[in-house]
């Protein structure tokens, strides 16, 4: 490498670092905007009283399934309010109004938060690209590069769901918080200087295998977040159904999330959609191992825990499809599966040694 090329690569690495830190600053502003959305979007006392009176009068069950309004000489049918049902015999509860709580002020802060999240995503994505250009390879050769790409993909998946008009803005605060945590760990403890790959990683399979692993982990994270919120919302609904009185803070927050049934389905559909790609990731890794090391499977710690993660998600999907395991049991299993994925990333890379020991820390 010529001195000029080395200088250019070093400058690109510095630009990458600047962009990553800039994205962290913007994500921090997005975090504050989401806090404002939840704070100012809290429903007023008048709205709470009206909701309580409606519930006493019969609530959603007393409302007609379809309302007919006259528009000129034509009868127009309004769509009924959607109530998600997770399984026969479960609670029928409408989705909450969202983080903004249906208020203009809360919605304004929410839109600002999403706009800042988009800006943070663009800065972080540019940082990942600059890192790739500085080493002239895929930016996934060590844990630092994997981490910044992971959070970029997670935010990108969230923004895609928003662009598709899915009701996921409630996920924004949790996502931005964990992305800041991920980037903080990456820049503080996992950072390594730009360098070339070890010989075993010089393969086009790096682009295929590692990119799918990153994408799967990012989407699995979103599914795990849905499972956590399902457990919280389900406990809230169960307490109300049993005549209990949740705390004011719990009521103010949890009543605005989608119903437990909606969160249950959201988590299941996310995990089910990405599971085939995780299967492909393991198969692609085995093929790459055959090319690089002359064997497809060697019970290396990374291989073992990738398979354990696959088994855990397979058990979750099977259990979720079985009526007796819907709900909380399935959610706990989904969180266990994601915990296996996290251990496979942090624990195996840092604490265990094997042919996949490319942590760079």
């Amino acid at each position: 490498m010529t001195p000029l090329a080395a200088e250019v690569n070093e400058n690109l690495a510095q630009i990458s670092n600047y962009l990553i830190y800039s994205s962290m600053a913007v994500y921090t502003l997005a975090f504050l905007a989401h806090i404002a959305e939840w704070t100012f979007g809290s429903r007023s006392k008048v709205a709470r009283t009206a909701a309580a009176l409606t519930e006493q009068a019969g609530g959603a069950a007393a409302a007609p399934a379809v309302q007919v309004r006259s528009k000129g000489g034509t009868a127009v049918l309004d769509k009924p309010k959607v109530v998600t049902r997770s399984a026969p015999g479960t609670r029928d509860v409408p989705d909450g109004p969202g983080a903004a709580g249906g208020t203009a002020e809360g919605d304004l802060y929410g839109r600002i938060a999403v706009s800042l999240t988009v800006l943070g995503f663009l800065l972080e994505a540019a940082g990942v690209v600059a890192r790739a250009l500085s080493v002239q390879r895929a930016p996934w050769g060590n844990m630092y590069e994997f981490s910044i790409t992971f959070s970029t993909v997670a935010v990108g998946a969230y923004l895609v769901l928003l662009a598709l008009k899915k009701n996921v803005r409630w996920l924004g605060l949790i996502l931005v918080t964990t992305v800041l945590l991920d980037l903080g760990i990456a820049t503080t403890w996992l950072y390594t200087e730009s360098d070339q790959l070890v010989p075993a990683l010089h393969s086009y399979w790096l682009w295929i295998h590692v990119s799918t692993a990153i994408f799967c982990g990012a989407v699995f994270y979103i599914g795990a977040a849905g499972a956590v919120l399902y457990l919280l919302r389900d406990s809230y609904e169960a307490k109300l159904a049993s005549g209990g009185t949740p705390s004011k803070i719990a009521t103010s927050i949890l009543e605005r999330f989608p119903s437990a049934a909606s969160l249950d389905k959201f988590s299941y559909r996310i995990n089910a959609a990405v599971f085939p790609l995780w299967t492909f990731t393991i198969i692609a890794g085995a093929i790459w191992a055959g090319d690089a090391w002359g064997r497809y499977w060697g019970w290396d710690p990374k291989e073992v825990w990738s398979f354990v993660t696959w088994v855990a998600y397979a058990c979750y999907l099977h259990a979720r499809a079985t009526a007796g395991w819907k709900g909380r049991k399935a959610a706990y299993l989904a969180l266990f599966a994601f915990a296996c994925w996290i251990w496979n990333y942090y624990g195996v890379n840092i604490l265990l040694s094997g042919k996949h020991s490319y942590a760079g820390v």
Side-chain angles (χ1 to χ4, degrees):
M1 181 181 295
T2 64
L4 178 59
E7 183 179 357
V8 170
N9 290 343
E10 182 179 354
N11 290 336
L12 285 171
Q14 293 177 353
I15 291 173
S16 173
N17 296 340
Y18 173 77
L19 289 170
I20 295 299
Y21 280 108
S22 297
S23 71
M24 292 176 67
V26 175
Y27 283 139
T28 301
L29 295 177
F31 169 80
L32 296 175
H34 275 300
I35 290 292
E37 177 188 18
W38 281 94
T39 301
F40 295 101
S42 180
R43 292 194 296 173
S44 66
K45 183 177 180 180
V46 174
R48 293 179 189 277
T49 303
L53 292 175
T54 301
E55 183 178 352
Q56 292 175 6
V66 179
Q67 296 180 349
V68 182
R69 54 189 174 87
S70 177
K71 189 175 183 180
T74 305
V76 181
L77 302 181
D78 286 341
K79 295 175 65 176
K81 189 173 185 179
V82 176
V83 177
T84 306
R85 185 193 299 269
S86 62
T90 56
R91 296 181 298 273
D92 292 338
V93 180
D95 292 337
T103 67
E105 188 174 9
D107 182 65
L108 173 62
Y109 283 109
R111 292 178 182 275
I112 292 174
V114 172
S115 299
L116 289 170
T117 302
V118 172
L119 178 57
F121 166 77
L122 294 175
L123 289 171
E124 188 180 9
V128 172
V129 172
R131 177 79 176 196
L133 293 175
S134 71
V135 291
Q136 300 178 0
R137 58 167 173 79
W140 310 315
N142 51 60
M143 287 187 69
Y144 169 74
E145 295 172 354
F146 193 103
S147 295
I148 62 176
T149 307
F150 170 83
S151 56
T152 302
V153 174
V155 176
Y158 165 71
L159 294 177
V160 167
L161 290 174
L162 284 177
L164 294 175
K165 307 298 183 182
K166 302 298 182 181
N167 177 26
V168 294
R169 202 165 86 182
W170 45 267
L171 185 61
L173 178 59
I174 300 170
L175 176 69
V176 171
T177 303
T178 49
V179 164
L180 283 171
L181 178 62
D182 173 74
L183 292 177
I185 293 173
T187 55
T188 304
W189 291 296
L190 303 180
Y191 180 78
T192 56
E193 297 292 340
S194 299
D195 200 357
Q196 294 304 312
L197 296 172
V198 297
L201 295 183
H202 283 286
S203 172
Y204 61 88
W205 283 106
L206 176 67
W207 292 91
I208 301 173
H209 172 64
V210 182
S211 64
T212 54
I214 292 173
F215 179 80
C216 289
V219 179
F220 279 147
Y221 159 75
I222 293 177
V228 170
L229 293 177
Y230 160 76
L231 292 172
L232 295 175
R233 173 78 187 202
D234 183 66
S235 296
Y236 169 75
E237 292 179 7
K239 192 167 188 177
L240 288 177
S242 64
T245 304
S247 67
K248 292 183 178 180
I249 295 179
T251 300
S252 176
I253 295 175
L254 294 176
E255 71 178 357
R256 286 184 278 164
F257 279 113
S259 67
S262 293
L263 290 169
D264 183 39
K265 287 188 175 182
F266 171 79
S267 178
Y268 169 67
R269 288 171 178 173
I270 289 289
N271 289 323
V274 79
F275 179 74
L277 189 59
W278 181 247
T279 304
F280 169 78
T281 301
I282 296 177
I283 295 173
I287 296 174
W288 187 10
D291 290 342
W293 300 318
R295 53 56 167 187
Y296 294 103
W297 193 268
W299 298 104
D300 184 78
K302 178 69 68 174
E303 296 169 351
V304 170
W305 279 98
S306 294
F307 180 67
V308 169
T309 302
W310 184 90
V311 171
Y313 273 109
C315 291
Y316 161 73
L317 294 176
H318 176 73
R320 179 58 178 76
T322 304
W325 273 78
K326 287 184 178 180
R328 299 186 70 86
K329 292 180 180 179
Y332 286 131
L333 191 51
L335 293 178
F336 172 76
F338 184 68
C340 290
W341 191 93
I342 290 294
W343 166 256
N344 190 29
Y345 176 50
Y346 286 106
V348 172
N349 284 349
I350 296 175
L351 301 178
L352 304 180
S353 60
K355 288 184 175 295
H356 290 80
S357 298
Y358 307 125
V361 293

